[in-house]
């Protein structure tokens, strides 16, 4: 079972957003350059056909990236809430935040929290402002921290 530390969650929540944003900016630059090249050489049929094909392909990729960006933005805000959740659990359990592991990078009902070599299932209320921890037992006792095997 994979568990993640607070440091891992903080590092990876911003990395994915940066990569997605850079890719979208790069695609927009390619669209602009292709448009200028098309306008400059619009009389050449071969270049026009290639430019139109590239532009359509880029718009499809851009649509996919925008969808991924909105999903990642939601995950980013959820992982930001998860950071606050881990800090809250650490305060309540009187342990260091580095000693708390979670099995998800986003906060949702049913995730497993591990500290002091014990596992707990998280039950969130409807607005994610409070939680209860219930002692649980996992089937797979092989624990991989931060996805490393």
């Amino acid at each position: 079972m994979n568990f993640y530390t607070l440091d891992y969650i903080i590092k990876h929540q911003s990395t994915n957003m940066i990569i997605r944003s850079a890719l979208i900016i790069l695609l927009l630059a390619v669209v602009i350059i292709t448009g200028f090249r098309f306008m400059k050489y619009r009389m050449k049929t071969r270049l026009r056909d290639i430019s139109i094909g590239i532009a359509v392909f880029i718009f499809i990729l851009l649509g996919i990236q925008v969808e991924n960006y909105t999903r990642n933005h939601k995950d980013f805000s959820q992982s930001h809430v998860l950071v606050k959740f881990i800090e809250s659990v650490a305060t309540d359990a009187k342990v260091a935040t580095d000693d708390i592991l979670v099995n998800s990078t986003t906060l949702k009902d049913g995730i497993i929290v591990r500290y002091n070599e014990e596992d707990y299932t998280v039950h969130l209320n409807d607005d994610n402002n409070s939680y209860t921890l219930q002692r649980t037992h996992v089937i797979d006792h092989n624990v991989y921290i931060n996805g490393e095997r």
Side-chain angles (χ1 to χ4, degrees):
M1 177 174 271
N2 288 325
F3 281 92
Y4 304 98
T5 62
L6 180 64
D7 291 334
Y8 178 86
I9 292 168
I10 291 172
K11 287 177 186 173
H12 284 82
Q13 72 182 359
S14 60
T15 304
N16 288 338
M17 291 291 285
I18 291 170
I19 291 171
R20 297 281 183 203
S21 299
L23 192 55
I24 288 172
I25 290 170
L26 179 67
L27 286 174
L28 285 173
V30 169
V31 166
I32 290 170
I33 290 170
T34 303
F36 284 136
R37 302 258 323 153
F38 172 71
M39 295 306 251
K40 184 176 179 183
Y41 299 110
R42 66 179 157 184
M43 293 300 187
K44 294 185 178 179
T45 307
R46 183 176 56 120
L47 186 58
R48 182 188 68 205
D49 293 343
I50 291 172
S51 297
I52 290 171
I54 290 173
V56 168
F57 179 67
I58 287 172
F59 281 121
I60 290 170
L61 289 179
L62 186 61
I64 292 169
Q65 289 303 326
V66 168
E67 180 184 339
N68 286 340
Y69 177 79
T70 55
R71 187 171 2 122
N72 284 339
H73 183 68
K74 179 183 174 195
D75 288 348
F76 176 76
S77 38
Q78 281 295 318
S79 62
H80 183 69
V81 173
L82 182 62
V83 169
K84 291 191 180 291
F85 168 75
I86 291 173
E87 292 169 348
S88 175
V89 170
T91 302
D92 293 344
K94 296 177 179 57
V95 296
T97 55
D98 295 338
D99 296 335
I100 295 183
L101 304 172
V102 292
N103 74 331
S104 175
T105 56
T106 58
L107 182 62
K108 56 189 170 200
D109 197 40
I111 65 172
I112 297 174
V113 175
R114 174 178 276 211
Y115 61 89
N116 294 336
E117 299 297 323
E118 294 180 350
D119 299 319
Y120 299 91
T121 301
V122 176
H123 299 287
L124 298 168
N125 70 344
D126 291 336
D127 60 356
N128 291 351
N129 282 332
S130 64
Y131 64 90
T132 56
L133 297 178
Q134 180 181 3
R135 182 82 163 89
T136 191
H137 301 279
V138 296
I139 295 173
D140 183 9
H141 291 284
N142 295 323
V143 174
Y144 305 108
I145 298 176
N146 300 333
E148 297 176 7
R149 293 187 184 253

